[in-house]
Amino acid sequence: MAKLLAFSYFQVSTGAYKRQVHEVPVGKQITDPALVEKITWATWTSILGDEVIGIWPRNADKADVNCACVTHAGLNVVTGDDFGLVKLFDFPCTEKFVSGYFILMET
């Protein structure tokens, strides 16, 4: 299966909690899931997508998880949520309701 280069595409999470993938530089939306699956992303900051389905806790409201960022090595994803928690997960995190690791922060 041929991989597609990430710098030819970008993804966004809409206010309606939909993931959209677009071509660069024209901005045409890619709607074919098979094509989206072939993209190897250079970075990841989206809270939506099959690759991060496990970051969502059971019974979570759509707005509970606010941010996500994959490490440079591409092995972990860190999230921030409405409860003030920072969590660490393996990436990709494709199994639903993974507990992850809590990172305790002091201010």
Side-chain angles (χ1 to χ4, degrees):
M1 175 167 83
K3 288 289 187 178
L4 300 175
L5 300 176
F7 60 80
S8 300
Y9 303 91
F10 68 93
Q11 64 180 329
V12 295
S13 302
T14 70
Y17 291 90
K18 301 289 183 193
R19 177 184 180 198
Q20 293 182 352
V21 176
H22 297 266
E23 276 186 79
V24 173
V26 295
K28 178 185 173 200
Q29 185 176 352
I30 306 300
T31 56
D32 180 5
L35 181 61
V36 172
E37 187 176 302
K38 291 180 183 180
I39 299 171
T40 299
W41 297 100
T43 62
W44 188 285
T45 58
S46 179
I47 59 172
L48 302 176
D50 291 339
E51 296 86 345
V52 291
I53 195 77
I55 68 173
W56 292 89
R58 196 177 306 275
N59 302 318
D61 182 80
K62 283 185 177 180
D64 284 348
V65 179
N66 300 308
C67 59
C69 185
V70 172
T71 61
H72 289 290
L75 301 175
N76 301 101
V77 59
V78 177
T79 65
D81 64 29
D82 279 354
F83 311 106
L85 297 175
V86 176
K87 297 179 187 174
L88 178 70
F89 299 90
D90 290 334
F91 184 82
C93 189
T94 56
E95 185 180 326
K96 287 185 176 183
F97 315 124
V98 175
S99 61
Y101 300 95
F102 294 92
I103 301 170
L104 300 176
M105 308 288 285
E106 287 189 36
T107 56

